[in-house]
Amino acid sequence: MGEMAELVLHSLKTFWRERVTSWLKHSTGYIPFGTPIVVGLLLPNQTLASTVFWQWLNQSHNACVNYANRNATKPSPTSKFIQGYLGAVISAVSIAVGLNVLVQSANKFTPATRLLIQRFVPFPAVASANICNVVLMRHTELKEGIDVLDSNGNIVGSSRIAAKHALIETALTRVVLPMPILVLPPMIMSIMEKTSLLRSRPRMVLPVQGLVCLAAFGLALPLAISLFPQMSEIETSRLEPEIAMATTSKTVVYNKGLSHECT
C-alpha cells in the first residue's frame, strides 16, 4: 500500500513539474509579446483600418511563432507557412470586419449594447483563423501521416489516424486558448468602466485593460497546455494494421504539433 502511494505521489509530482516547466517555457515570450496585441484587438470603437491592422498583426505574430516552432521531423516547405498565414489573415479580417458591419447595421441595438457586442467580435474571428491556419498548414499530414513512437522512443511508422487526432487536438486547443483572453476582458472591463474610479479617470482605462488582459493570459496558457499533452498517447489497436503489427507496445505516442499561438 505504501509503495502504491509513493508511486501515485511520484506520478503527480512529475505531472505538475512538466506542466510548470511547459508553462514557464511558453510564457517567456508568449505573454510579453501577446498582451499588447490583445489589448489592441479589444480596443473599443474600432475603425475599419484599426480592425484590419490588429487582426493582421496578430496573425503575423502567430505565423512567426509557427515558423520558429515548426516540426523538425516532418519539415514543411515555406510555401505551406505562407499559405496558412494568408488563409488565417483573410479569414480573421473578413470575419471581424463582417461581424462589425452587421452589428453596426443592427438598428434594434442601443449604442451601448452595440459597443458591448463589438468587443466580443475578436474571439470568433481569431478562433476561426486559428482553425483555418491549422487546416491549411497541416492538411498534407492527413495523407502522409505523422511519426508514432514506441515506449523506447523508436519510430514505429507513419500514421494517418494519429495525424487526424493531432490536428483535432491542436485545433481544439487553439479555440480554447483565445477564449478566456478575448472573452473575459470585455466582460470585466464593461463592469469596471462603470465604476467611479474609471469614470473620473478615463486615462486609466487602457492601463487597467492591459492588466486585465495580462491576468487573462496567465489563466489561458496553463489551461490550453493542460488540455492535451504535447506528446499524446494512443492505443496501437486504434491505428493502421501495419502500425500495430510493427510493434509489441500496446500504446504509442505522437507529437501533436504546436498548440499555442498568441491568440
Side-chain angles (χ1 to χ4, degrees):
M1 189 70 177
E3 292 181 359
M4 180 62 71
E6 289 181 3
L7 180 62
V8 171
L9 184 61
H10 175 73
S11 299
L12 287 172
K13 286 182 178 178
T14 303
F15 173 82
W16 285 111
R17 183 167 59 248
E18 290 176 351
R19 287 293 182 269
V20 171
T21 302
S22 181
W23 184 86
L24 290 173
K25 175 184 175 183
H26 290 89
S27 64
T28 302
Y30 178 88
I31 293 177
F33 288 103
T35 301
I37 296 176
V38 171
V39 172
L41 286 169
L42 296 176
L43 287 174
N45 299 314
Q46 294 259 17
T47 63
L48 175 61
S50 65
T51 299
V52 172
F53 171 76
W54 287 111
Q55 290 291 344
W56 165 79
L57 184 61
N58 180 45
Q59 295 306 325
S60 297
H61 176 246
N62 289 342
C64 293
V65 172
N66 287 334
Y67 190 77
N69 292 273
R70 59 193 182 279
N71 195 329
T73 60
K74 288 284 184 179
S76 300
T78 306
S79 59
K80 286 293 178 186
F81 288 95
I82 295 174
Q83 185 182 34
Y85 166 67
L86 291 176
V89 170
I90 292 171
S91 60
V93 170
S94 59
I95 291 172
V97 171
L99 288 176
N100 275 322
V101 170
L102 285 175
V103 172
Q104 290 173 0
S105 61
N107 297 323
K108 62 180 180 180
F109 294 137
T110 63
T113 303
R114 192 179 295 116
L115 179 62
L116 179 62
I117 295 174
Q118 281 182 304
R119 284 183 156 183
F120 292 96
V121 166
F123 171 66
V126 169
S128 301
N130 288 349
I131 294 175
C132 180
N133 181 271
V134 172
V135 173
L136 288 174
M137 288 184 61
R138 299 179 55 183
H139 68 90
T140 54
E141 294 179 9
L142 296 174
K143 297 179 182 178
E144 300 173 1
I146 59 174
D147 292 340
V148 292
L149 295 78
D150 60 19
S151 55
N152 297 318
N154 300 316
I155 297 176
V156 177
S158 190
S159 171
R160 293 184 298 276
I161 296 175
K164 180 181 178 182
H165 282 269
L167 260 66
I168 292 173
E169 290 172 1
T170 301
L172 284 174
T173 305
R174 291 189 180 182
V175 170
V176 171
L177 178 56
M179 190 178 296
I181 298 173
L182 297 176
V183 173
L184 287 180
M187 294 173 63
I188 295 172
M189 290 305 298
S190 64
I191 296 172
M192 295 189 67
E193 286 173 1
K194 296 177 182 178
T195 62
S196 57
L197 176 65
L198 292 186
R199 279 187 172 181
S200 59
R201 300 173 179 86
R203 291 184 179 181
M204 288 185 62
V205 172
L206 193 58
V208 169
Q209 181 167 312
L211 291 174
V212 171
C213 291
L214 188 63
F217 263 103
L219 171 67
L221 186 56
L223 175 65
I225 291 173
S226 62
L227 188 61
F228 295 108
Q230 185 63 40
M231 298 299 294
S232 296
E233 190 177 60
I234 188 171
E235 296 178 357
T236 52
S237 59
R238 297 173 60 188
L239 299 178
E240 294 87 344
E242 59 269 23
I243 299 290
M245 293 173 62
T247 180
T248 56
S249 300
K250 291 184 178 180
T251 60
V252 291
V253 296
Y254 58 89
N255 190 332
K256 76 175 188 300
L258 182 67
S259 297
H260 71 278
E261 290 190 335
C262 168
T263 43

